[in-house]
Amino acid sequence: MIPKTFKEVIDLGDGREISIETGKLAKQAHGSVVVQSGKCMLLCTVVSNYQQSDVDFLPLTVDYREKFAAAGRYPGGFFKREARPSDGEVLTMRLVDRVLRPLFPKDYHAETQVMIQLMSHDEEVMPDAMAGLAASAAIQLSDFPFECPISEVRVGRVNGEFIINPSRKQLEESDIDMVIGASADSVMMVEGEMNEISEEEMTEAIKAAHEAIKVQCAAQVRLAEAFGKKATREYEPEREDADLEKKVRDLVYDKVYEVAKAGSAKHERSAAFQQIKEEVTATFSEEELEDFGSLVSKYFYKAEKAAVRDLTLNEGLRLDGRKTTEIRPIWCEVDYLPSVHGSSIFTRGETQALATVTLGTSREANQIDMPSFEGEEKFYLHYNFPPFSTGEARPIRGTSRREVGHGNLAQRALKGMVPADCPYTVRVVSEVLESNGSSSMATVCAGTMALMDAGVQLKKPVSGIAMGLISDGESGKYAVLSDILGDEDHLGDMDFKVTGTADGITACQMDIKVKGLSYEILVKALKQAREGRLHILEKLTDTIAEPREDVKEYAPKMVTTRIANEYIGALIGPGGKVIQELQKETNTTIVINEDPVTEEGIVEILGTGQEGINAVLAKIDSITFKPVVGNSYKVKVIKMLDFGAVVEYLDAPGNEVLLHVSELAWERTENVSDVVNMGDVFEVKYFGIDSRTKKEKVSRKALLEKPEGYKERAPRSDNKDRGSRDNNRGGRDNRNRDRRRD
């Protein structure tokens, strides 16, 4: 018997719907829902242990996986099963995690898992846009202590109209691709890319998305009420001691305020804060520390945060002595690494990124193989964040989710400025060598300069800046901070990163921690960010004003040409023999792709030497050479025969044709060598296919003047010849008849 199900339907306003259903699948989970739009179905389950973990944070795991069976496909690789998550899945996990995590109580430390699976795929639906809705809906059906329902939507804009959760096809025409996460009251997360839009346009897109999210949050509330809203579970809260908190604050606040006001460097400041903490700790006995030592640490950091925030709100000063709008000192350099295709260093304060660019053929494109999307990227960026960049020693366990997310943000910031006709596959790698605030934005700046250094013809240079916000809800005071430090990232109410050209925003990432942030403050913050971006952009263009006209001497040159489909096989040769030998002889890399529309062959030639590239082009010209009837061509004799000479077109080596003895000269020629010899070069006229021999016909004599008194020889009488042959044949036939009579 199929169990009773509960369902809510959300109208997207253009004929599309999203349904949320529960009661049929995964009933042992603490909450489970199936979210469906078209044929796309996501199953989300949530479970949280009833025992608190022995940690001082929420051990929340958000896992998003796309099952290949959902698209009727097999996983790639030797083992035909889903393995480690792809970068696309990791990015979706991060989008959901960043909205859910702040809504759990700060003292809730039970291990919690949110698992979202794509069970059925629809080409017209992008599943990642519904992952946040699925996660929140499942939590609403559980007994977790969770503040309020949230949702996430993607917003695009086509022909000036905002579209909620556009299809991939619609997104290709859109100048905005943003995912917004919010509750019914507050926007909490924004991430996306844009085509140089203004701050006001970005705000309007966020507003449109928020209106759709309000409808989705209301649907979750209705579903939970219909299903039967569970009482929130009880858990053991963190220990609190108001008297101890006041004591620690009194000991700490003024000292921290003075250190923060001194405007020192990161390590000097950290050492000073640590000394204050040790002094405070020393005021307690060993027995007291054993009893409530963890509370002392907790209240110390709370007082530290309050002091630093108050310094900024009261005096407009920051930890390193800057004013709120001030950017740290910047120095840049290009062409730092002698053997790479492009390189740059970008240093801003205590953050430094070294970027490299590598140029390749389409063979080096980044292949994306997900159930919801198959394709390739000809421009991609990788971001590495080693422990030494923050002066730490910690285990290295492969690429972290943070590295994937930061690299994706920088890639989205730059990719729109790479021309569509760029012949190369371009890989940018950012090595973060120092970090104290926004290494992802340093990556954007270093990436811009490295691309220009490599000779990639960027449409416009791109810069990026990380901004912060500190606000006091009671007094209404707030401060927008330009170019935030790592410490300011942790203690602020909003962390937002904005990238763009001089003409508009290309990408953004925001995490908003304060409720009910007004759009007026958001626009002000974005405009202050623009001022900072332009200041940084000026530093970049002072270092390298525009892309190099060509790639470097030791970097590969790329030439792309097209050939008719019928010649692809000839260029490749049997078993790849022709193309392999050609690559070896010319020291080039040759890649052939077929245009899916015209079915032409797109030939990419990559080589460091122009001579080698020219040799490949000459070979292609030779293979695809087609003489035109009536035109004259220079040829060279390469073989002597009794009945003519084999000649080769000089413009197309390897293309041979027979020059018959009768076409050598107007005079009768007894011996071919009387007129031409091996190696002779002369011109011939092309007549096309001879109707009699069905072979190509060329003539030398057609380009010579007829001798005086020249008389055409009378043609042979074909009728006479045929008659003779017929008479002979008749005689043989008569003899055969005579034999039969005998």
Side-chain angles (χ1 to χ4, degrees):
M1 178 178 171
I2 298 176
K4 181 181 178 181
T5 59
F6 301 85
K7 187 174 183 178
E8 278 293 328
V9 176
I10 301 164
D11 185 358
L12 292 177
D14 56 2
R16 294 175 298 143
E17 294 179 340
I18 300 176
S19 67
I20 318 172
E21 182 182 274
T22 189
K24 186 179 290 186
L25 303 181
K27 292 194 291 181
Q28 292 193 48
H30 295 163
S32 70
V33 295
V34 172
V35 174
Q36 181 171 356
S37 181
K39 299 178 194 173
C40 177
M41 297 176 69
L42 292 174
L43 169 65
C44 179
T45 59
V46 296
V47 174
S48 186
N49 291 341
Y50 284 94
Q51 298 78 31
Q52 290 274 67
S53 298
D54 189 21
V55 293
D56 61 352
F57 61 90
L58 172 64
L60 170 66
T61 301
V62 176
D63 193 79
Y64 171 81
R65 301 299 177 100
E66 296 187 354
K67 305 299 183 180
F68 276 84
R73 294 175 51 214
Y74 283 90
F78 185 79
F79 295 103
K80 298 299 180 185
R81 69 177 300 159
E82 290 82 0
R84 65 179 297 277
S86 66
D87 284 0
E89 289 168 319
V90 168
L91 293 171
T92 302
M93 297 174 197
R94 282 174 53 84
L95 288 175
V96 177
D97 186 294
R98 284 159 51 197
V99 184
L100 295 184
R101 191 175 292 273
L103 296 179
F104 285 93
K106 293 186 182 300
D107 60 353
Y108 186 68
H109 300 157
E111 184 162 355
T112 304
Q113 287 185 333
V114 177
M115 301 186 69
I116 310 164
Q117 305 175 53
L118 174 67
M119 308 303 291
S120 177
H121 176 53
D122 186 330
E123 288 289 341
E124 298 300 316
V125 179
M126 297 182 70
D128 59 340
M130 302 191 298
L133 169 62
S136 177
I139 291 173
Q140 296 310 303
L141 301 176
S142 73
D143 61 351
F144 300 174
F146 193 75
E147 188 171 323
C148 61
I150 60 93
S151 191
E152 293 178 348
V153 300
R154 172 176 273 107
V155 61
R157 185 174 67 174
V158 178
N159 298 325
E161 296 292 328
F162 291 118
I163 302 173
I164 300 301
N165 291 356
S167 66
R168 196 175 296 278
K169 188 174 181 181
Q170 289 174 315
L171 211 53
E172 291 173 358
E173 303 172 11
S174 174
D175 62 350
I176 295 175
D177 175 9
M178 286 199 300
V179 174
I180 289 87
S183 66
D185 299 323
S186 302
V187 174
M188 305 168 65
M189 186 277 298
V190 179
E191 179 157 334
E193 61 187 85
M194 310 87 183
N195 185 16
E196 297 183 282
I197 67 172
S198 68
E199 289 74 15
E200 289 81 4
E201 288 175 306
M202 179 174 162
T203 304
E204 288 304 311
I206 295 172
K207 287 180 179 178
H210 195 195
E211 291 304 312
I213 286 172
K214 291 176 183 178
V215 175
Q216 297 185 7
C217 290
Q220 295 176 54
V221 172
R222 293 195 301 270
L223 180 68
E225 290 174 349
F227 179 74
K229 181 66 176 175
K230 297 178 182 178
T232 302
R233 68 173 61 176
E234 294 183 0
Y235 64 94
E236 185 178 350
E238 287 182 348
R239 182 182 174 187
E240 297 289 348
D241 189 323
D243 292 336
L244 179 62
E245 181 177 2
K246 183 178 183 306
K247 179 180 179 180
V248 171
R249 181 184 172 89
D250 292 343
L251 290 170
V252 168
Y253 183 90
D254 291 339
K255 293 179 180 179
V256 168
Y257 196 97
E258 288 305 312
V259 171
K261 190 175 180 178
S264 52
K266 176 182 176 181
H267 292 296
E268 181 184 344
R269 183 171 62 250
S270 297
F273 285 158
Q274 183 62 32
Q275 184 178 349
I276 296 171
K277 184 179 179 183
E278 290 173 359
E279 291 173 358
V280 171
T281 303
T283 62
F284 297 95
S285 66
E286 290 185 9
E287 292 78 10
E288 288 175 321
L289 290 175
E290 187 174 344
D291 183 26
F292 47 74
S294 60
L295 283 180
V296 173
S297 294
K298 175 182 174 180
Y299 295 145
F300 173 84
Y301 290 118
K302 191 173 181 179
E304 179 187 35
K305 180 177 179 179
V308 173
R309 288 170 62 92
D310 288 349
L311 172 68
T312 302
L313 289 174
N314 296 336
E315 303 188 42
L317 294 177
R318 300 161 65 179
L319 285 169
D320 57 358
R322 284 181 293 147
K323 297 178 181 178
T324 56
T325 60
E326 195 174 345
I327 311 297
R328 289 173 288 177
I330 294 170
W331 67 264
C332 311
E333 184 177 340
V334 296
D335 200 21
Y336 177 72
L337 300 175
S339 60
V340 303
H341 300 163
S343 65
S344 73
I345 302 171
F346 177 83
T347 306
R348 183 192 59 237
E350 296 168 304
T351 297
Q352 184 178 76
L354 169 64
T356 59
V357 169
T358 308
L359 307 176
T361 67
S362 60
R363 189 180 295 164
E364 281 72 52
N366 185 33
Q367 301 298 320
I368 301 174
D369 184 21
M370 296 175 64
S372 61
F373 179 66
E374 291 179 271
E376 62 180 26
E377 294 174 326
K378 286 195 67 180
F379 173 80
Y380 51 100
L381 186 151
H382 293 149
Y383 164 101
N384 297 317
F385 191 84
F388 67 77
S389 65
T390 54
E392 297 173 288
R394 51 180 167 79
I396 300 173
R397 297 189 175 94
T399 306
S400 68
R401 291 186 178 187
R402 180 182 181 277
E403 288 172 307
V404 172
H406 280 39
N408 179 68
L409 175 61
Q411 176 176 323
R412 300 177 88 174
L414 293 169
K415 74 176 186 180
M417 291 300 110
V418 178
D421 60 356
C422 176
Y424 295 99
T425 289
V426 181
R427 181 188 185 224
V428 181
V429 178
S430 172
E431 304 290 347
V432 178
L433 306 182
E434 293 182 55
S435 180
N436 183 18
S438 193
S439 53
S440 64
M441 296 298 94
T443 292
V444 172
C445 298
T448 290
M449 292 188 293
L451 287 164
M452 293 198 290
D453 180 52
V456 176
Q457 301 302 304
L458 285 185
K459 300 174 189 175
K460 300 171 190 175
V462 181
S463 64
I465 189 170
M467 306 290 291
L469 173 72
I470 295 175
S471 62
D472 184 349
E474 295 179 3
S475 65
K477 286 184 180 180
Y478 71 90
V480 178
L481 310 182
S482 297
D483 180 25
I484 58 173
L485 303 170
D487 290 340
E488 291 173 331
D489 183 359
H490 301 307
L491 60 84
D493 296 321
M494 178 168 67
D495 165 30
F496 62 107
K497 304 176 179 72
V498 188
T499 73
T501 67
D503 298 320
I505 299 170
T506 60
C508 73
Q509 183 183 91
M510 294 187 186
D511 289 298
I512 303 168
K513 307 164 192 174
V514 62
K515 294 180 183 178
L517 178 71
S518 71
Y519 285 106
E520 290 74 21
I521 293 178
L522 180 59
V523 171
K524 181 182 184 302
L526 287 170
K527 288 189 174 180
Q528 185 172 318
R530 184 176 187 275
E531 295 170 4
R533 281 195 294 107
L534 295 179
H535 169 79
I536 296 170
L537 192 61
E538 186 177 346
K539 299 292 183 181
L540 305 186
T541 52
D542 284 347
T543 304
I544 179 167
E546 55 189 22
R548 299 187 188 277
E549 291 185 6
D550 200 359
V551 298
K552 296 180 180 179
E553 181 182 352
Y554 45 82
K557 284 75 177 172
M558 169 80 85
V559 174
T560 302
T561 187
R562 287 174 174 258
I563 61 175
N565 182 276
E566 61 192 277
Y567 296 116
I568 295 176
L571 180 55
I572 295 173
K577 182 178 179 181
V578 173
I579 196 170
Q580 289 171 10
E581 289 182 354
L582 188 57
Q583 290 181 113
K584 188 175 180 180
E585 291 169 1
T586 59
N587 195 27
T588 60
T589 299
I590 306 170
V591 178
I592 305 174
N593 297 307
E594 188 174 302
D595 189 311
V597 179
T598 65
E599 296 186 348
E600 289 179 299
I602 304 172
V603 185
E604 299 174 0
I605 310 162
L606 191 79
T608 54
Q610 191 62 44
E611 288 185 7
I613 293 174
N614 291 341
V616 175
L617 290 171
K619 180 65 175 179
I620 292 173
D621 288 343
S622 173
I623 290 173
T624 60
F625 176 73
K626 270 188 175 181
V628 179
V629 174
N631 283 5
S632 299
Y633 299 94
K634 275 193 173 183
V635 296
K636 179 180 180 180
V637 178
I638 61 172
K639 188 182 292 185
M640 301 287 286
L641 302 171
D642 292 339
F643 50 87
V646 178
V647 295
E648 179 184 62
Y649 293 99
L650 290 186
D651 290 339
N655 280 270
E656 305 168 0
V657 65
L658 174 66
L659 175 60
H660 194 266
V661 64
S662 63
E663 297 297 331
L664 285 171
W666 290 105
E667 298 85 357
R668 181 178 181 83
T669 303
E670 295 294 339
N671 297 309
V672 176
S673 58
D674 292 341
V675 181
V676 297
N677 288 292
M678 283 288 292
D680 284 356
V681 175
F682 48 84
E683 287 194 356
V684 296
K685 186 173 182 178
Y686 182 73
F687 286 93
I689 304 299
D690 190 295
S691 59
R692 186 170 62 87
T693 63
K694 306 302 182 186
K695 294 181 179 179
E696 289 184 298
K697 178 182 177 180
V698 294
S699 174
R700 177 177 176 270
K701 73 178 185 183
L703 298 176
L704 304 174
E705 290 187 12
K706 290 183 182 180
E708 288 187 19
Y710 176 81
K711 294 181 180 180
E712 295 280 356
R713 287 182 292 168
R716 292 183 301 177
S717 175
D718 290 343
N719 292 334
K720 180 180 178 182
D721 291 342
R722 288 195 192 98
S724 300
R725 286 195 294 272
D726 289 344
N727 292 337
N728 292 337
R729 190 179 299 116
R732 285 195 294 271
D733 291 344
N734 291 336
R735 286 195 297 272
N736 289 336
R737 284 196 295 272
D738 292 340
R739 291 191 185 99
R740 283 197 293 273
R741 290 193 192 100
D742 295 340

